[in-house]
Coordinates of all heavy atoms in Angstrom, one line a residue:
M1 N -4.5 -10.9 -0.6 CA -4.0 -11.2 -1.9 C -4.3 -12.7 -2.2 O -3.4 -13.5 -2.3 CB -2.5 -10.9 -2.0 CG -2.2 -9.4 -2.1 SD -0.5 -9.2 -2.7 CE 0.0 -7.9 -1.6
D2 N -5.6 -12.9 -2.3 CA -6.0 -14.3 -2.6 C -5.7 -14.7 -4.0 O -6.0 -14.0 -5.0 CB -7.5 -14.4 -2.3 CG -7.8 -14.3 -0.9 OD1 -7.0 -14.5 -0.1 OD2 -9.0 -13.8 -0.6
G3 N -5.1 -15.9 -4.2 CA -5.0 -16.5 -5.5 C -3.9 -15.9 -6.4 O -3.9 -16.2 -7.6
V4 N -2.9 -15.2 -5.8 CA -1.8 -14.7 -6.7 C -0.5 -15.3 -6.4 O 0.4 -15.2 -7.2 CB -1.7 -13.1 -6.5 CG1 -2.9 -12.5 -7.0 CG2 -1.4 -12.7 -5.1
G5 N -0.3 -16.1 -5.3 CA 0.9 -16.7 -5.0 C 2.0 -15.8 -4.4 O 1.8 -14.5 -4.4
I6 N 3.1 -16.3 -4.0 CA 4.1 -15.5 -3.3 C 4.8 -14.5 -4.3 O 5.0 -13.4 -4.0 CB 5.1 -16.3 -2.5 CG1 6.0 -15.5 -1.7 CG2 5.9 -17.2 -3.5 CD1 5.4 -14.8 -0.5
I7 N 5.1 -15.0 -5.5 CA 5.8 -14.2 -6.5 C 4.8 -13.1 -6.9 O 5.2 -11.9 -7.1 CB 6.3 -15.0 -7.7 CG1 7.2 -16.1 -7.3 CG2 6.9 -14.1 -8.8 CD1 8.5 -15.6 -6.6
G8 N 3.6 -13.4 -7.1 CA 2.6 -12.4 -7.5 C 2.4 -11.4 -6.4 O 2.2 -10.2 -6.7
A9 N 2.4 -11.8 -5.2 CA 2.3 -10.9 -4.0 C 3.5 -9.9 -4.0 O 3.3 -8.7 -3.7 CB 2.2 -11.7 -2.7
I10 N 4.7 -10.4 -4.3 CA 5.8 -9.5 -4.3 C 5.7 -8.5 -5.4 O 6.0 -7.3 -5.2 CB 7.1 -10.4 -4.4 CG1 7.4 -11.2 -3.1 CG2 8.3 -9.5 -4.7 CD1 8.5 -12.2 -3.2
I11 N 5.3 -9.0 -6.6 CA 5.2 -8.1 -7.7 C 4.1 -7.0 -7.5 O 4.3 -5.8 -7.7 CB 4.9 -8.9 -9.0 CG1 6.2 -9.7 -9.4 CG2 4.5 -7.9 -10.2 CD1 6.0 -10.7 -10.5
I12 N 3.0 -7.5 -6.9 CA 1.9 -6.6 -6.6 C 2.3 -5.6 -5.5 O 2.0 -4.4 -5.6 CB 0.6 -7.4 -6.2 CG1 0.0 -8.0 -7.4 CG2 -0.4 -6.4 -5.5 CD1 -1.1 -9.0 -7.1
G13 N 3.1 -6.1 -4.6 CA 3.6 -5.2 -3.5 C 4.5 -4.1 -4.1 O 4.4 -2.9 -3.7
I14 N 5.4 -4.5 -5.0 CA 6.3 -3.5 -5.6 C 5.5 -2.5 -6.4 O 5.7 -1.3 -6.3 CB 7.4 -4.2 -6.4 CG1 8.3 -5.0 -5.5 CG2 8.1 -3.2 -7.3 CD1 9.3 -5.9 -6.3
L15 N 4.6 -3.0 -7.2 CA 3.7 -2.0 -8.0 C 2.9 -1.1 -7.1 O 2.8 0.1 -7.4 CB 2.8 -2.8 -8.9 CG 3.5 -3.5 -10.2 CD1 2.5 -4.4 -10.9 CD2 4.0 -2.4 -11.1
A16 N 2.3 -1.7 -6.1 CA 1.4 -0.9 -5.2 C 2.3 0.2 -4.5 O 1.8 1.3 -4.4 CB 0.7 -1.7 -4.2
G17 N 3.4 -0.2 -4.0 CA 4.3 0.8 -3.4 C 4.8 1.8 -4.3 O 4.9 3.0 -4.0
W18 N 5.1 1.5 -5.5 CA 5.5 2.4 -6.5 C 4.4 3.4 -6.9 O 4.6 4.6 -7.0 CB 6.0 1.7 -7.8 CG 6.5 2.7 -8.9 CD1 7.7 3.3 -8.9 CD2 5.8 3.1 -10.0 NE1 7.8 4.1 -10.0 CE2 6.6 4.0 -10.7 CE3 4.5 2.8 -10.5 CZ2 6.2 4.5 -11.9 CZ3 4.1 3.4 -11.7 CH2 5.0 4.2 -12.4
I19 N 3.2 2.9 -7.1 CA 2.1 3.8 -7.4 C 1.8 4.7 -6.2 O 1.6 5.9 -6.4 CB 0.8 2.9 -7.8 CG1 1.0 2.2 -9.1 CG2 -0.4 3.8 -7.9 CD1 0.0 1.1 -9.4
A20 N 1.8 4.2 -5.0 CA 1.6 5.0 -3.9 C 2.6 6.1 -3.7 O 2.4 7.2 -3.4 CB 1.5 4.2 -2.6
E21 N 3.9 5.7 -4.0 CA 5.0 6.7 -4.0 C 4.8 7.8 -4.9 O 5.0 9.0 -4.6 CB 6.3 5.9 -4.3 CG 7.5 6.8 -4.5 CD 8.7 6.0 -5.1 OE1 8.7 5.6 -6.2 OE2 9.6 5.7 -4.2
K22 N 4.3 7.5 -6.1 CA 4.0 8.6 -7.1 C 2.8 9.4 -6.8 O 2.9 10.6 -6.9 CB 3.8 7.9 -8.5 CG 5.0 7.2 -9.1 CD 6.2 8.1 -9.1 CE 7.4 7.3 -9.5 NZ 8.7 8.0 -9.3
V23 N 1.8 8.8 -6.2 CA 0.6 9.6 -5.8 C 0.9 10.5 -4.7 O 0.5 11.7 -4.7 CB -0.6 8.6 -5.4 CG1 -1.7 9.3 -4.8 CG2 -1.1 7.9 -6.7
M24 N 1.7 10.0 -3.7 CA 2.0 10.8 -2.5 C 3.3 11.7 -2.7 O 3.7 12.4 -1.8 CB 2.2 9.9 -1.3 CG 1.0 9.1 -0.9 SD -0.4 10.1 -0.5 CE 0.1 10.8 1.0
R25 N 3.8 11.7 -3.9 CA 5.0 12.5 -4.3 C 6.2 12.2 -3.3 O 6.7 13.2 -2.8 CB 4.6 14.0 -4.3 CG 3.6 14.3 -5.4 CD 3.4 15.7 -5.5 NE 2.4 16.0 -6.6 CZ 1.5 16.9 -6.5 NH1 1.5 17.8 -5.5 NH2 0.7 17.1 -7.5
R26 N 6.5 11.0 -3.1 CA 7.6 10.6 -2.3 C 8.7 10.0 -3.2 O 8.4 9.7 -4.4 CB 7.2 9.5 -1.3 CG 6.1 9.9 -0.4 CD 6.5 10.8 0.7 NE 5.4 11.3 1.5 CZ 4.9 10.8 2.6 NH1 5.4 9.6 3.0 NH2 3.9 11.3 3.2
N27 N 9.8 9.7 -2.7 CA 10.9 9.1 -3.5 C 11.6 8.0 -2.6 O 12.4 8.3 -1.7 CB 11.9 10.1 -3.9 CG 12.9 9.6 -4.9 OD1 12.7 8.6 -5.5 ND2 14.0 10.3 -5.1
H28 N 11.2 6.8 -2.9 CA 11.8 5.6 -2.2 C 12.4 4.7 -3.1 O 12.3 4.8 -4.3 CB 10.7 4.9 -1.4 CG 9.9 5.7 -0.5 ND1 8.5 5.8 -0.6 CD2 10.3 6.4 0.6 CE1 8.1 6.6 0.4 NE2 9.2 7.0 1.1
G29 N 13.1 3.7 -2.6 CA 13.8 2.7 -3.4 C 12.9 1.5 -3.6 O 11.7 1.4 -3.1
L30 N 13.4 0.5 -4.3 CA 12.6 -0.7 -4.6 C 12.2 -1.5 -3.4 O 11.1 -1.9 -3.2 CB 13.4 -1.6 -5.6 CG 12.8 -2.8 -6.1 CD1 11.6 -2.5 -6.9 CD2 13.8 -3.7 -6.8
L31 N 13.1 -1.7 -2.5 CA 12.8 -2.4 -1.2 C 11.8 -1.7 -0.4 O 10.9 -2.3 0.1 CB 14.1 -2.6 -0.4 CG 13.9 -3.5 0.9 CD1 13.4 -4.9 0.5 CD2 15.3 -3.5 1.6
T32 N 11.9 -0.4 -0.3 CA 10.9 0.4 0.5 C 9.5 0.3 -0.2 O 8.5 0.2 0.5 CB 11.3 1.8 0.6 OG1 12.6 1.9 1.3 CG2 10.3 2.6 1.5
N33 N 9.5 0.4 -1.5 CA 8.2 0.2 -2.2 C 7.6 -1.1 -2.0 O 6.4 -1.2 -1.8 CB 8.4 0.4 -3.7 CG 8.7 1.8 -4.1 OD1 8.4 2.7 -3.4 ND2 9.2 2.0 -5.3
L34 N 8.4 -2.2 -1.9 CA 7.9 -3.5 -1.6 C 7.3 -3.6 -0.2 O 6.2 -4.1 0.0 CB 9.0 -4.6 -1.8 CG 8.7 -6.0 -1.3 CD1 7.6 -6.6 -2.1 CD2 9.9 -6.9 -1.4
I35 N 8.0 -3.1 0.7 CA 7.6 -3.1 2.1 C 6.3 -2.3 2.3 O 5.3 -2.8 2.8 CB 8.7 -2.6 3.1 CG1 9.8 -3.6 3.1 CG2 8.1 -2.4 4.5 CD1 11.1 -3.0 3.8
V36 N 6.3 -1.1 1.7 CA 5.1 -0.2 1.7 C 3.9 -0.9 1.0 O 2.8 -0.9 1.5 CB 5.4 1.2 1.1 CG1 4.1 1.9 0.9 CG2 6.3 1.9 2.0
G37 N 4.2 -1.5 -0.1 CA 3.1 -2.2 -0.8 C 2.5 -3.4 -0.1 O 1.3 -3.6 0.0
V38 N 3.4 -4.2 0.5 CA 2.9 -5.4 1.2 C 2.2 -5.0 2.5 O 1.1 -5.5 2.8 CB 4.1 -6.4 1.5 CG1 3.7 -7.5 2.4 CG2 4.6 -7.0 0.2
V39 N 2.8 -4.1 3.3 CA 2.1 -3.6 4.5 C 0.8 -2.9 4.1 O -0.3 -3.1 4.7 CB 3.0 -2.7 5.3 CG1 2.2 -2.1 6.5 CG2 4.2 -3.5 5.8
G40 N 0.8 -2.2 3.0 CA -0.4 -1.5 2.5 C -1.5 -2.5 2.1 O -2.7 -2.3 2.3
A41 N -1.1 -3.7 1.6 CA -2.0 -4.7 1.2 C -2.7 -5.2 2.4 O -4.0 -5.4 2.4 CB -1.3 -5.8 0.5
F42 N -2.0 -5.5 3.5 CA -2.6 -5.9 4.7 C -3.6 -4.8 5.3 O -4.7 -5.1 5.7 CB -1.6 -6.3 5.8 CG -0.9 -7.6 5.5 CD1 0.4 -7.6 5.2 CD2 -1.6 -8.8 5.5 CE1 1.1 -8.8 4.9 CE2 -1.0 -10.0 5.2 CZ 0.3 -10.0 4.9
L43 N -3.1 -3.6 5.3 CA -3.9 -2.5 5.8 C -5.1 -2.2 5.0 O -6.2 -2.1 5.5 CB -3.0 -1.2 5.8 CG -3.7 0.1 6.3 CD1 -4.1 -0.1 7.8 CD2 -2.8 1.3 6.2
G44 N -5.0 -2.3 3.6 CA -6.1 -2.1 2.7 C -7.1 -3.2 2.9 O -8.3 -2.9 2.9
S45 N -6.6 -4.4 3.0 CA -7.5 -5.5 3.2 C -8.3 -5.5 4.5 O -9.5 -5.7 4.6 CB -6.7 -6.8 3.1 OG -7.6 -7.9 3.3
F46 N -7.6 -5.1 5.5 CA -8.2 -4.9 6.9 C -9.3 -3.8 6.8 O -10.4 -4.1 7.3 CB -7.1 -4.6 7.9 CG -7.7 -4.3 9.3 CD1 -8.2 -5.3 10.1 CD2 -7.8 -3.0 9.7 CE1 -8.7 -5.0 11.3 CE2 -8.3 -2.7 11.0 CZ -8.8 -3.7 11.8
V47 N -9.0 -2.7 6.3 CA -9.9 -1.6 6.2 C -11.1 -1.9 5.3 O -12.3 -1.7 5.7 CB -9.2 -0.3 5.7 CG1 -10.3 0.8 5.4 CG2 -8.2 0.2 6.7
A48 N -10.9 -2.6 4.2 CA -12.0 -2.9 3.3 C -12.9 -4.0 4.0 O -14.1 -3.9 3.9 CB -11.4 -3.5 2.0
T49 N -12.3 -4.9 4.7 CA -13.1 -5.9 5.4 C -13.9 -5.3 6.5 O -15.1 -5.6 6.7 CB -12.2 -7.0 6.0 OG1 -11.5 -7.6 4.9 CG2 -13.0 -8.1 6.7
M50 N -13.3 -4.3 7.2 CA -14.0 -3.6 8.3 C -15.2 -2.8 7.8 O -16.2 -2.6 8.5 CB -13.1 -2.8 9.1 CG -12.0 -3.5 9.9 SD -12.7 -4.7 11.0 CE -13.3 -3.7 12.3
L51 N -15.0 -2.3 6.6 CA -16.1 -1.5 6.0 C -17.1 -2.3 5.2 O -18.1 -1.8 4.7 CB -15.5 -0.4 5.0 CG -14.6 0.6 5.7 CD1 -14.0 1.5 4.6 CD2 -15.5 1.5 6.6
G52 N -16.9 -3.6 5.2 CA -17.8 -4.5 4.6 C -17.7 -4.8 3.1 O -18.6 -5.3 2.4
F53 N -16.5 -4.4 2.5 CA -16.3 -4.6 1.1 C -15.6 -5.9 0.8 O -14.8 -6.4 1.6 CB -15.3 -3.5 0.5 CG -15.9 -2.1 0.5 CD1 -15.5 -1.1 1.4 CD2 -16.9 -1.8 -0.4 CE1 -16.0 0.1 1.4 CE2 -17.4 -0.5 -0.4 CZ -17.0 0.4 0.5
D54 N -16.0 -6.5 -0.3 CA -15.3 -7.8 -0.7 C -14.1 -7.4 -1.5 O -14.2 -6.7 -2.5 CB -16.3 -8.6 -1.6 CG -15.7 -9.9 -2.0 OD1 -14.8 -10.4 -1.3 OD2 -16.2 -10.4 -3.0
T55 N -12.9 -7.9 -1.0 CA -11.7 -7.5 -1.7 C -11.4 -8.3 -3.0 O -10.6 -8.0 -3.8 CB -10.5 -7.7 -0.7 OG1 -10.5 -9.1 -0.2 CG2 -10.6 -6.8 0.4
G56 N -12.2 -9.4 -3.2 CA -12.0 -10.2 -4.4 C -10.8 -11.0 -4.5 O -9.9 -11.0 -3.6
E57 N -10.7 -11.7 -5.6 CA -9.5 -12.6 -5.9 C -8.9 -12.1 -7.2 O -9.5 -11.6 -8.1 CB -9.9 -14.0 -6.0 CG -10.3 -14.6 -4.7 CD -10.6 -16.1 -4.9 OE1 -10.1 -16.7 -5.8 OE2 -11.3 -16.7 -4.0
G58 N -7.6 -12.4 -7.3 CA -6.9 -12.1 -8.6 C -5.9 -10.9 -8.5 O -5.8 -10.3 -7.4
I59 N -5.3 -10.6 -9.6 CA -4.3 -9.6 -9.6 C -4.8 -8.2 -9.5 O -4.4 -7.4 -8.7 CB -3.5 -9.7 -10.9 CG1 -2.7 -11.0 -10.9 CG2 -2.5 -8.6 -11.1 CD1 -2.0 -11.4 -12.2
I60 N -5.9 -7.8 -10.3 CA -6.4 -6.4 -10.3 C -7.0 -6.0 -9.0 O -6.6 -5.0 -8.4 CB -7.4 -6.3 -11.5 CG1 -6.7 -6.5 -12.8 CG2 -8.0 -4.9 -11.5 CD1 -5.5 -5.7 -13.2
P61 N -7.9 -6.8 -8.4 CA -8.4 -6.4 -7.1 C -7.3 -6.4 -6.0 O -7.4 -5.5 -5.2 CB -9.4 -7.6 -6.8 CG -9.8 -8.2 -8.0 CD -8.6 -8.0 -8.9
S62 N -6.4 -7.3 -6.1 CA -5.3 -7.3 -5.1 C -4.4 -6.0 -5.3 O -4.0 -5.4 -4.3 CB -4.4 -8.5 -5.3 OG -5.1 -9.7 -5.0
L63 N -4.2 -5.6 -6.5 CA -3.4 -4.4 -6.8 C -4.1 -3.2 -6.3 O -3.5 -2.3 -5.7 CB -3.0 -4.3 -8.3 CG -2.2 -3.1 -8.7 CD1 -0.9 -3.1 -7.9 CD2 -2.0 -3.1 -10.2
L64 N -5.4 -3.1 -6.5 CA -6.2 -2.0 -6.1 C -6.2 -1.8 -4.6 O -6.0 -0.7 -4.0 CB -7.6 -2.0 -6.6 CG -7.8 -1.8 -8.1 CD1 -9.2 -2.1 -8.6 CD2 -7.4 -0.4 -8.5
V65 N -6.5 -2.9 -3.9 CA -6.5 -2.9 -2.4 C -5.2 -2.6 -1.9 O -5.1 -1.7 -0.9 CB -7.1 -4.3 -1.9 CG1 -6.9 -4.4 -0.4 CG2 -8.5 -4.5 -2.2
A66 N -4.1 -3.2 -2.4 CA -2.8 -2.9 -1.9 C -2.4 -1.4 -2.2 O -1.7 -0.8 -1.3 CB -1.8 -3.8 -2.6
T67 N -2.7 -0.9 -3.3 CA -2.4 0.5 -3.6 C -3.1 1.5 -2.7 O -2.5 2.4 -2.2 CB -2.7 0.8 -5.1 OG1 -2.0 -0.1 -5.9 CG2 -2.4 2.2 -5.4
V68 N -4.4 1.3 -2.5 CA -5.1 2.1 -1.6 C -4.6 2.0 -0.2 O -4.4 3.0 0.5 CB -6.6 1.8 -1.6 CG1 -7.4 2.5 -0.5 CG2 -7.2 2.1 -2.9
G69 N -4.3 0.8 0.3 CA -3.6 0.6 1.6 C -2.3 1.3 1.7 O -1.9 1.9 2.7
A70 N -1.5 1.2 0.6 CA -0.1 1.8 0.6 C -0.2 3.3 0.7 O 0.5 4.0 1.4 CB 0.6 1.3 -0.6
I71 N -1.2 3.9 -0.1 CA -1.4 5.3 0.0 C -1.8 5.8 1.4 O -1.3 6.7 1.9 CB -2.4 5.8 -1.1 CG1 -1.9 5.6 -2.5 CG2 -2.9 7.2 -0.8 CD1 -2.9 5.8 -3.6
L72 N -2.7 5.0 2.0 CA -3.2 5.3 3.4 C -2.0 5.2 4.3 O -1.8 6.1 5.2 CB -4.3 4.3 3.8 CG -4.9 4.5 5.2 CD1 -5.5 5.9 5.3 CD2 -5.9 3.4 5.4
L73 N -1.2 4.2 4.2 CA 0.0 4.0 5.0 C 1.0 5.2 4.9 O 1.4 5.8 5.9 CB 0.7 2.7 4.7 CG 2.0 2.4 5.4 CD1 1.7 2.2 6.9 CD2 2.7 1.2 4.9
L74 N 1.3 5.6 3.7 CA 2.2 6.8 3.5 C 1.6 8.1 4.0 O 2.3 8.9 4.6 CB 2.5 6.9 2.0 CG 3.4 5.9 1.4 CD1 3.7 6.1 -0.1 CD2 4.8 5.8 2.1
F75 N 0.2 8.2 3.9 CA -0.4 9.4 4.4 C -0.3 9.4 6.0 O 0.0 10.4 6.5 CB -1.9 9.4 4.0 CG -2.7 10.5 4.7 CD1 -2.6 11.8 4.2 CD2 -3.6 10.2 5.7 CE1 -3.3 12.8 4.8 CE2 -4.3 11.2 6.3 CZ -4.2 12.5 5.8
L76 N -0.6 8.3 6.6 CA -0.5 8.2 8.1 C 1.0 8.4 8.5 O 1.2 9.1 9.5 CB -1.0 6.8 8.6 CG -2.5 6.6 8.4 CD1 -2.9 5.2 8.8 CD2 -3.3 7.6 9.2
L77 N 1.9 7.8 7.8 CA 3.3 8.0 8.2 C 3.7 9.5 8.1 O 4.5 10.0 8.9 CB 4.2 7.2 7.4 CG 4.2 5.7 7.7 CD1 5.1 4.9 6.6 CD2 4.7 5.4 9.1
G78 N 3.2 10.2 7.0 CA 3.4 11.6 6.9 C 2.9 12.4 8.0 O 3.5 13.4 8.4
L79 N 1.7 12.0 8.5 CA 1.2 12.8 9.7 C 2.0 12.6 10.9 O 2.3 13.6 11.6 CB -0.2 12.2 10.0 CG -1.4 12.5 9.0 CD1 -2.7 11.9 9.5 CD2 -1.6 14.0 8.9
F80 N 2.5 11.4 11.1 CA 3.4 11.2 12.3 C 4.7 11.9 12.2 O 5.3 12.5 13.1 CB 3.6 9.7 12.6 CG 2.4 9.1 13.2 CD1 1.8 8.1 12.5 CD2 2.0 9.4 14.4 CE1 0.6 7.5 13.0 CE2 0.9 8.8 15.0 CZ 0.2 7.8 14.3
Q81 N 5.3 12.0 11.0 CA 6.6 12.7 10.7 C 6.4 14.2 10.9 O 7.3 14.8 11.4 CB 7.1 12.3 9.3 CG 7.6 10.9 9.2 CD 8.1 10.6 7.8 OE1 7.9 11.3 6.9 NE2 8.8 9.5 7.7
R82 N 5.3 14.7 10.5 CA 5.1 16.2 10.7 C 5.0 16.6 12.1 O 5.4 17.6 12.6 CB 3.9 16.6 9.9 CG 4.1 16.7 8.4 CD 2.9 17.3 7.7 NE 3.1 17.0 6.3 CZ 2.1 16.5 5.5 NH1 1.0 16.2 6.0 NH2 2.4 16.3 4.3
R83 N 4.3 15.7 12.9 CA 4.1 16.0 14.3 C 5.5 15.9 15.1 O 5.7 16.6 16.0 CB 3.2 15.0 15.0 CG 1.8 15.3 14.6 CD 0.8 14.4 15.4 NE -0.5 14.7 15.0 CZ -1.5 14.0 15.4 NH1 -1.4 12.9 16.2 NH2 -2.8 14.3 15.0
R84 N 6.3 15.0 14.7 CA 7.6 14.8 15.4 C 8.6 15.9 15.1 O 9.4 16.3 15.9 CB 8.2 13.4 14.9 CG 9.4 13.0 15.8 CD 9.8 11.6 15.6 NE 9.6 11.1 14.2 CZ 10.5 10.6 13.5 NH1 11.7 10.5 13.9 NH2 10.3 10.2 12.2
A85 N 8.5 16.5 13.9 CA 9.5 17.5 13.5 C 9.2 18.8 14.1 O 8.4 19.2 14.7 CB 9.4 17.7 12.0

């Protein structure tokens, strides 16, 4: 999340977590959305970098990377929860 600052990162994290929640048909609260969004941002950035993509700077690229990472995170968590049950 280059160039967005800490407040921007929190807002992007909440939005990314909320979008991922809707895409994955889950129901979480605001704090969980923030955590999923921020962790998703790190995961998305890591995966994009490993695949050779430039994550860019600013709000829109950060939101896209964080959202894709958050969706991936929720997907992976869903796989582990199904195996445990």
Side-chain angles (χ1 to χ4, degrees):
M1 287 197 222
D2 294 332
V4 294
I6 190 70
I7 301 298
I10 291 170
I11 292 169
I12 289 170
I14 291 170
L15 284 173
W18 180 79
I19 293 168
E21 171 186 76
K22 297 305 175 193
V23 169
M24 297 300 290
R25 296 184 180 148
R26 307 278 174 91
N27 190 17
H28 302 123
L30 183 65
L31 182 62
T32 304
N33 286 344
L34 171 62
I35 293 168
V36 167
V38 171
V39 173
F42 287 114
L43 180 63
S45 180
F46 175 75
V47 170
T49 302
M50 295 302 286
L51 294 175
F53 292 107
D54 181 24
T55 56
E57 290 186 18
I59 294 172
I60 301 299
S62 295
L63 181 60
L64 290 173
V65 169
T67 300
V68 170
I71 290 170
L72 179 61
L73 177 64
L74 289 178
F75 175 76
L76 292 173
L77 288 174
L79 288 178
F80 285 114
Q81 288 178 349
R82 287 188 192 128
R83 285 187 181 175
R84 193 168 32 125

